[in-house]
Amino acid sequence: MTLTVTDLKAPEGFERLVRAEDAEAGLRALICIHSTVLGPAAGGCRMWAYGGEAEAIEDVTRLARGMTYKNAMAGLGLGGGKSVIIGDARRDKTPAMMRAFGRAVEALGGRYYTAEDVGISPEDMAHAARETRFAVGLSGASGDPSPWTAEGVFRCLLTGAAHVFGSDDLRGRRVLVQGLGHVGMDLARKLAAAGADLVVTDIHAEALRIATADLGAAVCEPGAVFEQQMDVYAPCALGGVITDDSAARLRARLICGAANNQLATPALARSLRARGITYLPDYVVNAGGIISVASEIHGKDDAWRRARLDGIAGRVAEMLVRAGAEGRCTTDIADEMVGRMLQGRSAA
């Protein structure tokens, strides 16, 4: 098999963007390194049926930058990167493709660690690991990071609820979970156990069947999310769901979910705040998965993971207090906190 790794022009402020191709293995991938200021870049590999390379580049660069911020806020000693494989994970993915992807990661010489993301499982990553030392999130090591992501989102949601509603008691609170993948379903289970009035939506009928049968959840159509009355909105599918239109229609007081890049544009944070909606920055609250992966990179145990989950909930509490006291958006506070971390390390 012949793998080619080609450098593309990286956006301003990014360190590297490469295209990896192996026609025989069916691999078309992009790997983006945003920053290694705080350590080697780390971020998952996503497989998605993008409309073309331009769309994939837009996604991978946004995700890589988000990983820099996420890893910094979680205190992981890692920089930010991301990778995407262009294709339908349910139809196109093969062990040979994942091995070719592993060779592409290895070609970067340790500047980027990869792990699971949308469309990629620990079993898939095990195939990649046959070709690279820098594939993590493996069964028998840190394993599937999804439960840790869900736990982190849940803890941050409780912190946000205490701030917005005056109590973290979710009994009777109407919470809508959008997207029932591994993370969304785990979060839905935690919310149901906490007594939330659970509403779910997903494009897959089997996921909805499980949520209704096992969790007693109500179902709404994917296109009707922003017409629903709710207390908490938990977006757990793909990003960009909060647009000018959806922000104007959203009927919630708190947004806390696992999806990356939930805001279509940064300015929407101000629009939400003006409507009295508290938004918890996604790159802060969904850091549980990369915390789990980082424990494997650094050789740490579950106690280390739990301490960092406590840390991200603590940072959410801090930014909520500061945002209220200073009359600013939570996103501005969070970005400012990360900026100080990166500047301090660069100066050092």
Side-chain angles (χ1 to χ4, degrees), residues 302-317:
D302 280 359
W304 187 89
R305 301 192 215 190
R306 287 191 292 269
R308 273 143 190 83
L309 285 180
D310 290 340
I312 62 173
R315 287 185 175 90
V316 166

Side-chain angles (χ1 to χ4, degrees), residues 70-196:
K70 182 185 302 188
N71 294 341
M73 283 292 274
L76 301 181
L78 295 170
K82 203 76 174 183
S83 53
V84 298
I85 297 174
I86 301 172
D88 185 331
R90 294 171 179 248
R91 184 191 65 209
D92 302 330
K93 186 172 55 180
T94 65
M97 175 188 289
M98 294 308 302
R99 290 189 66 172
F101 172 71
R103 291 194 292 276
V105 171
E106 183 68 21
L108 298 180
R111 292 188 66 203
Y112 168 66
Y113 282 85
T114 190
E116 303 91 313
D117 197 354
V118 175
I120 300 295
S121 70
E123 292 72 26
D124 298 326
M125 200 49 57
H127 292 299
R130 294 178 65 182
E131 305 289 345
T132 182
R133 298 160 289 169
F134 308 110
V136 288
L138 304 175
S139 298
S142 63
D144 183 359
S146 300
W148 291 91
T149 304
E151 177 64 19
V153 173
F154 182 66
R155 292 190 191 192
C156 292
L157 192 151
L158 293 178
T159 300
H163 180 85
V164 172
F165 306 117
S167 170
D168 64 2
D169 187 349
L170 298 181
R171 288 175 294 181
R173 293 284 175 203
R174 192 168 175 82
V175 183
L176 190 151
V177 178
Q178 182 184 34
L180 294 172
H182 292 304
V183 176
M185 187 66 82
D186 278 351
L187 178 62
R189 290 191 178 99
K190 293 175 185 295
L191 292 166

Side-chain angles (χ1 to χ4, degrees), residues 82-339:
K82 203 76 174 183
S83 53
V84 298
I85 297 174
I86 301 172
D88 185 331
R90 294 171 179 248
R91 184 191 65 209
D92 302 330
K93 186 172 55 180
T94 65
M97 175 188 289
M98 294 308 302
R99 290 189 66 172
F101 172 71
R103 291 194 292 276
V105 171
E106 183 68 21
L108 298 180
R111 292 188 66 203
Y112 168 66
Y113 282 85
T114 190
E116 303 91 313
D117 197 354
V118 175
I120 300 295
S121 70
E123 292 72 26
D124 298 326
M125 200 49 57
H127 292 299
R130 294 178 65 182
E131 305 289 345
T132 182
R133 298 160 289 169
F134 308 110
V136 288
L138 304 175
S139 298
S142 63
D144 183 359
S146 300
W148 291 91
T149 304
E151 177 64 19
V153 173
F154 182 66
R155 292 190 191 192
C156 292
L157 192 151
L158 293 178
T159 300
H163 180 85
V164 172
F165 306 117
S167 170
D168 64 2
D169 187 349
L170 298 181
R171 288 175 294 181
R173 293 284 175 203
R174 192 168 175 82
V175 183
L176 190 151
V177 178
Q178 182 184 34
L180 294 172
H182 292 304
V183 176
M185 187 66 82
D186 278 351
L187 178 62
R189 290 191 178 99
K190 293 175 185 295
L191 292 166
D197 181 5
L198 188 62
V199 183
V200 297
T201 187
D202 196 276
I203 60 174
H204 300 297
E206 178 61 15
L208 296 175
R209 186 196 66 77
I210 293 170
T212 54
D214 295 355
L215 307 179
V219 173
C220 87
E221 292 297 321
V225 167
F226 299 104
E227 278 63 56
Q228 302 297 310
Q229 189 65 48
M230 65 189 95
D231 296 300
V232 182
Y233 171 46
C236 296
L238 293 180
V241 292
I242 302 174
T243 63
D244 288 327
D245 177 64
S246 62
R249 291 187 290 132
L250 180 62
R251 303 178 185 183
R253 292 181 59 195
L254 175 65
I255 302 173
C256 179
N260 288 307
N261 301 318
Q262 294 163 22
L263 303 183
T265 65
L268 285 162
R270 292 168 180 78
S271 300
L272 293 168
R273 186 174 185 277
R275 294 195 59 222
I277 300 173
T278 298
Y279 170 68
L280 302 187
D282 48 67
Y283 71 75
V284 181
V285 306
N286 66 12
I290 195 63
I291 287 172
S292 176
V293 167
S295 72
E296 185 176 340
I297 293 172
H298 295 315
K300 302 295 184 179
D301 59 11
D302 280 359
W304 187 89
R305 301 192 215 190
R306 287 191 292 269
R308 273 143 190 83
L309 285 180
D310 290 340
I312 62 173
R315 287 185 175 90
V316 166
E318 177 187 348
M319 73 177 65
L320 286 171
V321 170
R322 283 190 55 191
E326 300 172 20
R328 301 168 64 197
C329 294
T330 52
T331 52
D332 291 343
I333 300 295
D335 288 353
E336 185 179 278
M337 292 167 72
V338 172

